[in-house]
Amino acid sequence: MRDTHYISSAILDLATISTILQENKRIALSEESRLNINASRAYLDDKIEGNSKPFYGINTGFGSLCNVAIKNEHLTQLQENLMRSHACGTGDYVPKSIVKLMILLKVQSLSYGHSGVHINTVERLIDFYNLDILPVVYTQGSLGASGDLAPLAHLSLPLIGEGMVWEGDEPAFAKAILDKHNLSPITLKSKEGLALLNGTQFMVAYGLDALLKCHKLSYLADMIGAISIDAFNCNLSPFDPLVHYVRPHRGQIKTAERIQEFLADSEIAKTEKENVQDPYSFRCIPQVHGATKDAILYASNTFKTEMNSVTDNPNIFAAEDKIISGGNFHGQPLALALDFLAIAMAEIGSISERRTYQLISGLRDLPPFLVDNPGLHSGMMIPQYTAASIVSQNKQLATPASIDSIVSSNGQEDHVSMGANAATKLHKVVENIETILAIELLNASQALYFRAPSKTSPFLEAIISAYRTEVPFATIDRVFSTDIHKTKAFMNSIQVDKDMIFS
């Protein structure tokens, strides 16, 4: 029996989202949300009944056609035409996990009672979520300004029995899948199409998916970095709390504390060192990893605000008797956070690759390329090439999307955020970081072997022992691509307490 998460005004945070997804919870509307949605719809119906006053997107055209009046008998057609005309996405398919998160976020935004949608529309979105009826959505098409129009159009079309949804790993016609579940297409009422299409749920879903991974990758970067510290026989003095209390950035202090915890009781760390100082990629882990932690925290706070917000337009305020056309769908706060996060995560990859480079350089009593009989065997030479190529790609992907803008809708929408492009770029950066860290773990564990009989900390010895069951020590050359893929799978299998990664 699946547990249920009730949509309400209670604040959603990353830990809650993580729990909903990991435990595959069903979602349902709370009584509070039902009252909010019904009151908003009743107010809107009453407001437009026999009223010739123009309300944007309710009884007018859209974008630069906002001054074209639409008769009441055409309001359903207006909303359906909106969804059809805006469903012009292209590019790759959005991953199904992100599509499902988009549905959850759209339901949350509509639940506050400022969108004027009918309860049946929200309930059908909930059906989609609970039954895994996941629309086919494309990565390209959103400017991140009037909300994510094209992606959300593809997300919403199946509500009226059109568009495509996933059947296993193949796209299928939505109407056929609805029939399988004995679900009839809904009939949109005034404003509903606009409420469904306006919003930032594409950007937010991508951002939350990335943030959930970034928090864990930040932890893993510290852990793998700690293995590299002992593998390269580094000093622990740069992690002394005194150093960080005189420059008390939150992430820096947290990183230094975590490194010391990982290396507690390490035999290697306790040995006397000939090297007075270590390269920056080891010595400055608290400063570099810490700065990324602070960027992750900034992005997390931005996205926490956004997923607890109303982002369609116009907004309905029944108690104040106002329908206000504004700009809450504009993705600028998200675009900046997404770009910042991409830059910050790219730096985690950059410093990781430098540690890998140092480990294979034949320094500090380690053999060149971490293999016996180098020359006959290339050892870890080429995995570093791979890491370097990915780091270079990340530099390109980290170029901010938010500094760009392009005019659309006949000049009505003349400044856009490009947050959707920032979101999809970040998705690739995060995927790349996982690979770069996997290559460092492959190299650091290999290097640690040559420190025997001295051992690292009991905690890290246990990690390496578990890792060796998946990726054995390389005595001779082999296909290291297989090792990298297995290392990524091992990293994904590591369970980290939410209090440790989200605090």
Side-chain angles (χ1 to χ4, degrees):
M1 189 74 177
R2 289 163 63 187
D3 288 340
T4 300
H5 169 78
Y6 287 93
I7 303 291
S8 70
S9 61
I11 298 297
L12 279 177
D13 57 19
L14 275 172
T16 303
I17 290 289
S18 177
T19 299
I20 293 169
L21 299 179
Q22 286 184 0
E23 298 180 7
N24 192 27
K25 289 189 175 186
R26 295 170 56 85
I27 61 172
L29 291 174
S30 65
E31 191 58 33
E32 172 198 22
S33 294
R34 289 181 172 277
L35 290 171
N36 289 339
I37 293 167
N38 286 331
S40 176
R41 185 67 221 180
Y43 169 81
L44 181 58
D45 285 341
D46 183 66
K47 195 70 176 176
I48 64 176
E49 183 66 32
N51 192 338
S52 60
K53 181 179 177 180
F55 296 106
Y56 173 73
I58 299 172
N59 54 12
T60 74
F62 307 102
S64 63
L65 301 173
C66 59
N67 294 317
V68 178
I70 307 297
K71 294 180 180 179
N72 282 6
E73 59 264 31
H74 294 151
L75 296 188
T76 291
Q77 184 181 353
L78 173 70
Q79 299 303 313
E80 292 182 351
N81 286 346
L82 173 73
M83 288 170 61
R84 294 185 187 107
S85 65
H86 285 54
C88 53
T90 188
D92 297 330
Y93 295 129
V94 175
K96 285 182 277 188
S97 59
I98 294 180
V99 172
K100 189 165 186 175
L101 190 48
M102 288 172 68
I103 297 173
L104 170 62
L105 294 166
K106 177 54 77 174
V107 171
Q108 182 70 36
S109 184
L110 297 176
S111 73
Y112 296 111
H114 296 293
S115 302
V117 294
H118 196 281
I119 191 80
N120 291 347
T121 302
V122 184
E123 292 282 14
R124 182 51 51 82
L125 284 170
I126 290 174
D127 289 336
F128 280 12
Y129 185 92
N130 292 335
L131 295 170
D132 278 329
I133 301 175
L134 303 177
V136 173
V137 182
Y138 300 90
T139 56
Q140 292 177 322
S142 172
L143 296 170
S146 293
D148 295 308
L149 294 175
L152 290 173
H154 286 283
L155 186 81
S156 303
L157 264 180
L159 293 170
I160 62 172
E162 300 184 20
M164 308 292 284
V165 299
W166 289 104
E167 185 174 30
D169 292 325
E170 297 295 327
F173 289 107
K175 183 63 169 61
I177 302 303
L178 292 182
D179 288 344
K180 281 188 178 181
H181 291 277
N182 295 316
L183 298 174
S184 300
I186 65 172
T187 300
L188 295 177
K189 297 184 179 295
S190 57
K191 193 188 179 293
E192 290 200 283
L194 189 60
L196 290 165
L197 269 58
N198 273 172
T200 58
Q201 285 76 39
F202 176 85
M203 290 178 276
V204 180
Y206 263 98
L208 292 178
D209 179 79
L211 279 166
L212 291 172
K213 293 172 182 174
C214 288
H215 278 278
K216 182 176 179 180
L217 287 172
S218 173
Y219 176 91
L220 292 176
D222 292 346
M223 185 188 77
I224 294 167
I227 297 171
S228 293
I229 286 169
D230 263 5
F232 204 60
N233 199 23
C234 295
N235 294 280
L236 283 192
S237 57
F239 308 98
D240 190 305
L242 292 174
V243 174
H244 307 288
Y245 289 155
V246 296
R247 194 199 191 193
H249 291 291
R250 176 188 178 277
Q252 180 176 327
I253 290 174
K254 187 177 182 68
T255 304
E257 289 175 348
R258 191 176 279 170
I259 294 294
Q260 287 202 321
E261 289 169 4
F262 284 142
L263 290 170
D265 298 321
S266 164
E267 294 177 10
I268 297 171
K270 292 175 182 176
T271 59
E272 188 172 344
K273 314 296 181 187
E274 294 181 5
N275 40 291
V276 178
Q277 285 192 333
D278 302 304
Y280 285 1
S281 56
F282 299 91
R283 194 193 336 162
C284 297
I285 285 176
Q287 289 77 11
V288 178
H289 288 201
T292 293
K293 284 182 178 61
D294 290 338
I296 292 171
L297 180 61
Y298 163 75
S300 297
N301 288 335
T302 299
F303 276 81
K304 181 179 178 181
T305 297
E306 191 75 5
M307 66 176 157
N308 291 283
S309 297
V310 178
T311 58
D312 66 300
N313 177 65
N315 299 139
I316 294 170
F317 301 92
E320 293 82 6
D321 190 22
K322 287 186 177 182
I323 300 175
I324 305 175
S325 183
N328 278 352
F329 46 53
H330 201 291
Q332 194 70 19
L334 305 178
L336 294 174
L338 291 162
D339 280 339
F340 189 19
L341 193 56
I343 293 167
M345 291 306 294
E347 285 300 288
I348 289 290
S350 177
I351 196 172
S352 170
E353 183 275 330
R354 288 293 82 196
R355 290 192 293 267
T356 296
Y357 179 86
Q358 295 283 1
L359 289 168
I360 65 173
S361 297
L363 304 173
R364 299 194 179 182
D365 301 319
L366 295 173
F369 306 113
L370 303 177
V371 68
D372 290 324
N373 202 0
L376 176 62
H377 299 287
S378 296
M380 296 294 161
M381 180 188 295
I382 307 304
Q384 184 268 329
Y385 282 37
T386 302
S389 72
I390 299 171
V391 166
S392 182
Q393 184 184 66
N394 275 352
K395 293 175 185 177
Q396 298 154 23
L397 291 169
T399 301
S402 55
I403 60 174
D404 187 26
S405 182
I406 196 164
V407 179
S408 59
S409 196
N410 262 8
Q412 180 77 0
E413 297 164 12
D414 57 347
H415 181 278
V416 298
S417 75
M418 294 300 179
N421 288 350
T424 53
K425 288 198 303 97
L426 172 62
H427 184 76
K428 183 61 177 176
V429 168
V430 172
E431 182 181 279
N432 283 346
I433 296 304
E434 190 177 67
T435 303
I436 295 166
L437 288 175
I439 292 171
E440 183 185 355
L441 177 55
L442 175 66
N443 280 267
S445 61
Q446 183 83 1
L448 202 58
Y449 172 86
F450 295 101
R451 296 292 171 208
S454 296
K455 293 184 177 182
T456 186
S457 70
F459 174 80
L460 294 180
E461 285 288 342
I463 294 291
I464 296 297
S465 178
Y467 175 61
R468 283 285 170 245
T469 65
E470 303 296 327
V471 181
F473 175 79
T475 56
I476 59 174
D477 283 347
R478 61 189 187 221
V479 179
F480 288 114
S481 173
T482 303
D483 288 4
I484 295 168
H485 288 297
K486 286 183 176 180
T487 304
K488 289 170 68 174
F490 173 77
M491 288 163 53
N492 285 325
S493 73
I494 296 174
Q495 298 296 315
V496 187
D497 189 275
K498 289 185 177 66
D499 290 339
M500 296 188 69
I501 61 174
F502 292 131
S503 61

